Short mmCIF file of all heavy atoms in Angstrom, two decimals:
data_model
loop_
_atom_site.label_atom_id
_atom_site.label_comp_id
_atom_site.label_asym_id
_atom_site.label_seq_id
_atom_site.Cartn_x
_atom_site.Cartn_y
_atom_site.Cartn_z
N TYR G 102 -30.90 -40.19 -46.33
CA TYR G 102 -31.07 -40.41 -44.89
C TYR G 102 -30.19 -41.57 -44.42
O TYR G 102 -29.56 -41.51 -43.36
CB TYR G 102 -32.53 -40.71 -44.55
CG TYR G 102 -33.45 -39.51 -44.65
CD1 TYR G 102 -34.83 -39.66 -44.60
CD2 TYR G 102 -32.94 -38.22 -44.79
CE1 TYR G 102 -35.69 -38.57 -44.69
CE2 TYR G 102 -33.78 -37.13 -44.89
CZ TYR G 102 -35.14 -37.30 -44.84
OH TYR G 102 -35.97 -36.23 -44.93
N LEU G 103 -30.16 -42.63 -45.23
CA LEU G 103 -29.34 -43.79 -44.85
C LEU G 103 -27.86 -43.41 -44.81
O LEU G 103 -27.13 -43.83 -43.91
CB LEU G 103 -29.56 -44.94 -45.83
CG LEU G 103 -30.84 -45.73 -45.56
CD1 LEU G 103 -31.21 -46.59 -46.75
CD2 LEU G 103 -30.69 -46.60 -44.30
N SER G 104 -27.45 -42.59 -45.76
CA SER G 104 -26.04 -42.22 -45.77
C SER G 104 -25.69 -41.33 -44.57
O SER G 104 -24.60 -41.44 -44.00
CB SER G 104 -25.69 -41.60 -47.13
OG SER G 104 -25.04 -40.39 -46.99
N ILE G 105 -26.64 -40.47 -44.17
CA ILE G 105 -26.41 -39.67 -42.96
C ILE G 105 -26.29 -40.59 -41.74
O ILE G 105 -25.41 -40.44 -40.91
CB ILE G 105 -27.54 -38.64 -42.75
CG1 ILE G 105 -27.51 -37.59 -43.87
CG2 ILE G 105 -27.41 -37.96 -41.38
CD1 ILE G 105 -28.69 -36.64 -43.86
N ALA G 106 -27.20 -41.57 -41.68
CA ALA G 106 -27.18 -42.49 -40.53
C ALA G 106 -25.85 -43.24 -40.47
O ALA G 106 -25.28 -43.43 -39.39
CB ALA G 106 -28.36 -43.47 -40.63
N ILE G 107 -25.33 -43.65 -41.64
CA ILE G 107 -24.05 -44.36 -41.67
C ILE G 107 -22.92 -43.44 -41.20
O ILE G 107 -22.07 -43.85 -40.41
CB ILE G 107 -23.78 -44.91 -43.09
CG1 ILE G 107 -24.71 -46.09 -43.38
CG2 ILE G 107 -22.32 -45.35 -43.23
CD1 ILE G 107 -24.64 -46.63 -44.78
N ASP G 108 -22.95 -42.20 -41.66
CA ASP G 108 -21.92 -41.24 -41.21
C ASP G 108 -21.94 -41.08 -39.70
O ASP G 108 -20.90 -40.97 -39.05
CB ASP G 108 -22.15 -39.86 -41.86
CG ASP G 108 -21.61 -39.82 -43.28
OD1 ASP G 108 -20.95 -40.80 -43.69
OD2 ASP G 108 -21.88 -38.83 -43.99
N GLU G 109 -23.14 -41.04 -39.15
CA GLU G 109 -23.25 -40.87 -37.69
C GLU G 109 -22.72 -42.10 -36.95
O GLU G 109 -22.09 -41.97 -35.90
CB GLU G 109 -24.70 -40.59 -37.30
CG GLU G 109 -25.23 -39.24 -37.79
CD GLU G 109 -24.44 -38.06 -37.22
OE1 GLU G 109 -24.29 -37.98 -35.99
OE2 GLU G 109 -23.97 -37.23 -38.01
N LEU G 110 -22.98 -43.27 -37.49
CA LEU G 110 -22.44 -44.49 -36.87
C LEU G 110 -20.91 -44.49 -36.94
O LEU G 110 -20.23 -44.88 -35.99
CB LEU G 110 -22.98 -45.74 -37.56
CG LEU G 110 -24.43 -46.10 -37.28
CD1 LEU G 110 -24.82 -47.35 -38.07
CD2 LEU G 110 -24.64 -46.36 -35.79
N ASP G 111 -20.37 -44.01 -38.09
CA ASP G 111 -18.91 -43.93 -38.23
C ASP G 111 -18.33 -42.98 -37.18
O ASP G 111 -17.27 -43.21 -36.62
CB ASP G 111 -18.54 -43.44 -39.63
CG ASP G 111 -18.70 -44.55 -40.66
OD1 ASP G 111 -18.82 -45.72 -40.26
OD2 ASP G 111 -18.72 -44.22 -41.86
N ARG G 112 -19.06 -41.90 -36.95
CA ARG G 112 -18.62 -40.91 -35.97
C ARG G 112 -18.55 -41.55 -34.57
O ARG G 112 -17.59 -41.39 -33.84
CB ARG G 112 -19.61 -39.74 -36.00
CG ARG G 112 -19.47 -38.76 -34.91
CD ARG G 112 -18.86 -37.46 -35.43
NE ARG G 112 -18.46 -36.63 -34.31
CZ ARG G 112 -17.24 -36.19 -34.13
NH1 ARG G 112 -16.29 -36.48 -34.99
NH2 ARG G 112 -16.95 -35.45 -33.09
N ALA G 113 -19.61 -42.30 -34.24
CA ALA G 113 -19.63 -42.96 -32.93
C ALA G 113 -18.47 -43.94 -32.82
O ALA G 113 -17.80 -44.03 -31.78
CB ALA G 113 -20.96 -43.69 -32.74
N LYS G 114 -18.18 -44.65 -33.90
CA LYS G 114 -17.08 -45.61 -33.89
C LYS G 114 -15.74 -44.91 -33.71
O LYS G 114 -14.88 -45.37 -32.96
CB LYS G 114 -17.09 -46.44 -35.17
CG LYS G 114 -16.06 -47.56 -35.15
CD LYS G 114 -15.93 -48.22 -36.50
CE LYS G 114 -14.63 -48.97 -36.60
NZ LYS G 114 -13.46 -48.07 -36.68
N ASP G 115 -15.55 -43.77 -34.40
CA ASP G 115 -14.30 -43.01 -34.25
C ASP G 115 -14.08 -42.61 -32.80
O ASP G 115 -12.97 -42.71 -32.28
CB ASP G 115 -14.35 -41.72 -35.10
CG ASP G 115 -14.05 -42.00 -36.55
OD1 ASP G 115 -13.58 -43.13 -36.85
OD2 ASP G 115 -14.28 -41.11 -37.39
N ILE G 116 -15.14 -42.13 -32.17
CA ILE G 116 -15.00 -41.68 -30.78
C ILE G 116 -14.63 -42.86 -29.89
O ILE G 116 -13.72 -42.76 -29.07
CB ILE G 116 -16.29 -40.98 -30.30
CG1 ILE G 116 -16.45 -39.66 -31.07
CG2 ILE G 116 -16.25 -40.73 -28.80
CD1 ILE G 116 -17.73 -38.93 -30.82
N ILE G 117 -15.30 -43.98 -30.10
CA ILE G 117 -14.98 -45.15 -29.29
C ILE G 117 -13.54 -45.59 -29.53
O ILE G 117 -12.80 -45.87 -28.59
CB ILE G 117 -15.96 -46.31 -29.58
CG1 ILE G 117 -17.34 -45.96 -29.01
CG2 ILE G 117 -15.46 -47.61 -28.97
CD1 ILE G 117 -18.42 -46.93 -29.38
N ASP G 118 -13.12 -45.60 -30.81
CA ASP G 118 -11.75 -46.04 -31.13
C ASP G 118 -10.70 -45.18 -30.44
O ASP G 118 -9.73 -45.70 -29.88
CB ASP G 118 -11.51 -45.99 -32.65
CG ASP G 118 -12.14 -47.17 -33.35
OD1 ASP G 118 -12.58 -48.10 -32.65
OD2 ASP G 118 -12.20 -47.16 -34.58
N ASP G 119 -10.88 -43.87 -30.49
CA ASP G 119 -9.88 -42.98 -29.89
C ASP G 119 -9.96 -43.00 -28.37
O ASP G 119 -8.98 -42.76 -27.68
CB ASP G 119 -10.10 -41.53 -30.37
CG ASP G 119 -9.59 -41.32 -31.79
OD1 ASP G 119 -9.01 -42.27 -32.34
OD2 ASP G 119 -9.79 -40.23 -32.33
N TYR G 120 -11.16 -43.24 -27.86
CA TYR G 120 -11.43 -43.01 -26.45
C TYR G 120 -11.35 -44.30 -25.64
O TYR G 120 -11.28 -44.27 -24.43
CB TYR G 120 -12.84 -42.44 -26.35
CG TYR G 120 -13.20 -41.83 -25.03
CD1 TYR G 120 -12.78 -40.54 -24.70
CD2 TYR G 120 -13.98 -42.51 -24.12
CE1 TYR G 120 -13.12 -39.97 -23.50
CE2 TYR G 120 -14.32 -41.94 -22.90
CZ TYR G 120 -13.90 -40.67 -22.60
OH TYR G 120 -14.22 -40.11 -21.42
N LEU G 121 -11.36 -45.41 -26.36
CA LEU G 121 -11.54 -46.72 -25.74
C LEU G 121 -10.84 -46.90 -24.40
O LEU G 121 -11.44 -47.35 -23.44
CB LEU G 121 -11.05 -47.78 -26.72
CG LEU G 121 -11.49 -49.19 -26.43
CD1 LEU G 121 -12.99 -49.26 -26.36
CD2 LEU G 121 -10.99 -50.10 -27.52
N LEU G 122 -9.58 -46.53 -24.35
CA LEU G 122 -8.84 -46.79 -23.13
C LEU G 122 -8.63 -45.56 -22.29
O LEU G 122 -8.06 -45.63 -21.22
CB LEU G 122 -7.49 -47.40 -23.50
CG LEU G 122 -7.64 -48.77 -24.13
CD1 LEU G 122 -6.43 -49.11 -24.94
CD2 LEU G 122 -7.88 -49.81 -23.06
N PHE G 123 -9.10 -44.43 -22.79
CA PHE G 123 -8.85 -43.19 -22.06
C PHE G 123 -9.36 -43.26 -20.64
O PHE G 123 -8.66 -42.91 -19.70
CB PHE G 123 -9.50 -42.00 -22.78
CG PHE G 123 -9.77 -40.84 -21.88
CD1 PHE G 123 -8.72 -40.23 -21.21
CD2 PHE G 123 -11.06 -40.38 -21.69
CE1 PHE G 123 -8.96 -39.17 -20.36
CE2 PHE G 123 -11.29 -39.31 -20.85
CZ PHE G 123 -10.25 -38.70 -20.19
N ALA G 124 -10.56 -43.74 -20.50
CA ALA G 124 -11.18 -43.77 -19.19
C ALA G 124 -10.33 -44.60 -18.22
O ALA G 124 -10.53 -44.57 -17.03
CB ALA G 124 -12.57 -44.36 -19.31
N ASN G 125 -9.38 -45.30 -18.77
CA ASN G 125 -8.69 -46.30 -17.99
C ASN G 125 -7.19 -46.29 -18.28
O ASN G 125 -6.60 -47.34 -18.41
CB ASN G 125 -9.28 -47.66 -18.39
CG ASN G 125 -9.11 -48.68 -17.31
OD1 ASN G 125 -8.55 -48.36 -16.27
ND2 ASN G 125 -9.54 -49.88 -17.57
N SER G 126 -6.59 -45.08 -18.40
CA SER G 126 -5.24 -45.11 -18.94
C SER G 126 -4.12 -45.25 -17.90
O SER G 126 -2.97 -45.33 -18.27
CB SER G 126 -4.99 -43.92 -19.86
OG SER G 126 -5.45 -42.76 -19.26
N ALA G 127 -4.48 -45.31 -16.63
CA ALA G 127 -3.45 -45.63 -15.64
C ALA G 127 -3.23 -47.15 -15.66
O ALA G 127 -4.20 -47.90 -15.72
CB ALA G 127 -3.89 -45.21 -14.25
N PRO G 128 -1.97 -47.59 -15.64
CA PRO G 128 -1.78 -49.04 -15.73
C PRO G 128 -2.37 -49.75 -14.52
O PRO G 128 -2.21 -49.30 -13.39
CB PRO G 128 -0.26 -49.21 -15.78
CG PRO G 128 0.32 -47.92 -15.32
CD PRO G 128 -0.71 -46.87 -15.52
N GLU G 129 -3.09 -50.83 -14.77
CA GLU G 129 -3.66 -51.59 -13.67
C GLU G 129 -2.75 -52.74 -13.30
O GLU G 129 -2.41 -52.93 -12.16
CB GLU G 129 -5.01 -52.16 -14.08
CG GLU G 129 -6.10 -51.15 -14.20
CD GLU G 129 -7.39 -51.82 -14.60
OE1 GLU G 129 -7.35 -52.76 -15.41
OE2 GLU G 129 -8.43 -51.39 -14.09
N ARG G 130 -2.41 -53.49 -14.34
CA ARG G 130 -1.55 -54.64 -14.13
C ARG G 130 -0.32 -54.48 -15.00
O ARG G 130 -0.28 -54.99 -16.11
CB ARG G 130 -2.30 -55.93 -14.48
CG ARG G 130 -2.84 -56.64 -13.26
CD ARG G 130 -3.73 -57.82 -13.66
NE ARG G 130 -5.12 -57.41 -13.82
CZ ARG G 130 -5.75 -57.25 -14.96
NH1 ARG G 130 -5.14 -57.46 -16.10
NH2 ARG G 130 -7.01 -56.89 -14.99
N PRO G 131 0.67 -53.73 -14.51
CA PRO G 131 1.83 -53.50 -15.37
C PRO G 131 2.58 -54.79 -15.66
O PRO G 131 2.66 -55.68 -14.80
CB PRO G 131 2.70 -52.54 -14.57
CG PRO G 131 1.97 -52.22 -13.33
CD PRO G 131 0.80 -53.12 -13.19
N GLU G 132 3.07 -54.88 -16.90
CA GLU G 132 3.84 -56.05 -17.30
C GLU G 132 5.03 -55.53 -18.11
O GLU G 132 5.10 -54.34 -18.41
CB GLU G 132 2.96 -56.96 -18.18
CG GLU G 132 2.35 -56.19 -19.35
CD GLU G 132 1.23 -56.94 -20.07
OE1 GLU G 132 1.21 -58.16 -19.99
OE2 GLU G 132 0.42 -56.28 -20.73
N GLN G 133 5.96 -56.42 -18.45
CA GLN G 133 7.07 -56.00 -19.30
C GLN G 133 6.65 -56.16 -20.76
O GLN G 133 6.20 -57.23 -21.15
CB GLN G 133 8.29 -56.87 -19.02
CG GLN G 133 8.81 -56.68 -17.61
CD GLN G 133 10.27 -57.11 -17.49
OE1 GLN G 133 10.86 -57.62 -18.43
NE2 GLN G 133 10.84 -56.88 -16.33
N VAL G 134 6.77 -55.09 -21.50
CA VAL G 134 6.33 -55.11 -22.89
C VAL G 134 7.50 -54.74 -23.79
O VAL G 134 8.22 -53.78 -23.53
CB VAL G 134 5.19 -54.08 -23.10
CG1 VAL G 134 4.63 -54.21 -24.50
CG2 VAL G 134 4.09 -54.27 -22.07
N ASP G 135 7.67 -55.54 -24.85
CA ASP G 135 8.75 -55.27 -25.80
C ASP G 135 8.26 -54.25 -26.84
O ASP G 135 7.36 -54.54 -27.63
CB ASP G 135 9.14 -56.58 -26.48
CG ASP G 135 10.38 -56.42 -27.36
OD1 ASP G 135 10.64 -55.28 -27.83
OD2 ASP G 135 11.06 -57.42 -27.60
N VAL G 136 8.87 -53.08 -26.83
CA VAL G 136 8.39 -51.99 -27.68
C VAL G 136 8.47 -52.35 -29.17
O VAL G 136 7.55 -52.07 -29.94
CB VAL G 136 9.20 -50.69 -27.41
CG1 VAL G 136 8.76 -49.58 -28.33
CG2 VAL G 136 9.01 -50.27 -25.97
#
Side-chain angles (χ1 to χ4, degrees):
Y102 288 169
L103 280 165
S104 129
I105 294 172
I107 288 174
D108 280 353
E109 293 299 307
L110 287 179
D111 284 345
R112 169 107 192 123
K114 186 189 161 290
D115 280 348
I116 292 174
I117 290 173
D118 282 350
D119 283 356
Y120 194 80
L121 196 56
L122 294 158
F123 157 59
N125 204 1
S126 46
E129 288 181 323
R130 260 173 271 105
E132 53 193 337
Q133 295 201 356
V134 186
D135 187 335
V136 177

